[in-house]
Amino acid sequence: MNILTNKLALAAAAAAFSLTALAQSAPDDAQIAGIVVAANTVDIEAGKLAQSMTKNAQVKAFAEQMVTDHSGVNKQAVALVTKLKVTPAESDLSKSLKQGGNDNLAKLKTLKGKEFDKAYVDHEVAYHQAVIDALDKTLIPNAKNAELKETLVKVRPAFVAHLEHAKHIAASLK
């Protein structure tokens, strides 16, 4: 593992820590909606970068799945908040997610080949674990609206599947 890959792993760990730490406060439904949209958008952007940068078929297929699945979740979230007349609101967590996503993209853009693939997939592992932790510890327990809570519960298995898929790819890249 080179220094840049180590920095990416540290950034992912810091993002995971930030999600856990920030998840300790209780967001309202508008903030939860904002967090959901931010989390999905960050992963869509990383997936699009990976689609354009990787030459590895397995990584490219995973990146395409991330763009498709997270775009679908964002579409569901926007439809739900429109129905509920809730405007997604920024919070410390949504701002942290966006900043972490931008930092990740900036670092990934400096990498190529296997180094890029490993850094992208390693970040996906840490990121999905952090989002699952936030869902379990903060977002689902604090969602007041039943439909919002139900949507969060329904999308959780997809995040778990993404995490397992990313772990499988990470193991194959070693």
Side-chain angles (χ1 to χ4, degrees), residues 46-58:
K48 286 180 179 176
L49 178 65
Q51 286 177 302
S52 70
M53 299 276 293
T54 188
K55 303 288 186 227
N56 181 308
Q58 194 177 20

Side-chain angles (χ1 to χ4, degrees), residues 22-35:
L22 291 171
Q24 302 305 314
S25 60
D28 61 24
D29 285 353
Q31 290 171 324
I32 290 172
I35 292 164

Side-chain angles (χ1 to χ4, degrees), residues 15 27 36 46-47 50 75 91 109 112:
V36 169
K75 190 174 176 182
S91 63
K109 286 177 182 175
K112 293 183 186 222

Side-chain angles (χ1 to χ4, degrees), residues 85-153:
K85 298 182 178 159
V86 171
T87 301
E90 286 218 345
S91 63
D92 288 344
L93 182 52
S94 67
K95 289 177 190 173
S96 175
L97 285 168
K98 289 176 187 173
Q99 185 59 52
N102 289 337
D103 292 347
N104 180 47
L105 290 176
K107 290 174 184 172
L108 286 174
K109 286 177 182 175
T110 66
L111 302 174
K112 293 183 186 222
K114 291 179 181 179
E115 217 175 53
F116 173 88
D117 294 340
K118 182 163 178 25
Y120 168 69
V121 173
D122 286 349
H123 188 272
E124 287 296 299
V125 169
Y127 189 75
H128 280 88
Q129 183 62 60
V131 171
I132 291 167
D133 290 346
L135 280 168
D136 292 344
K137 294 174 184 171
T138 301
L139 303 181
I140 293 172
N142 288 300
K144 301 287 186 264
N145 180 280
E147 286 184 75
L148 178 59
K149 185 179 288 247
E150 183 181 321
T151 299
L152 295 171
V153 170

Side-chain angles (χ1 to χ4, degrees), residues 45-84:
E45 290 172 0
K48 286 180 179 176
L49 178 65
Q51 286 177 302
S52 70
M53 299 276 293
T54 188
K55 303 288 186 227
N56 181 308
Q58 194 177 20
V59 173
K60 188 178 283 280
F62 179 78
E64 288 172 5
Q65 181 185 9
M66 294 305 98
V67 172
T68 300
D69 289 359
H70 289 285
S71 294
V73 172
N74 261 359
K75 190 174 176 182
Q76 287 177 5
V78 169
L80 178 60
V81 296
T82 301
K83 176 184 169 189
L84 299 175

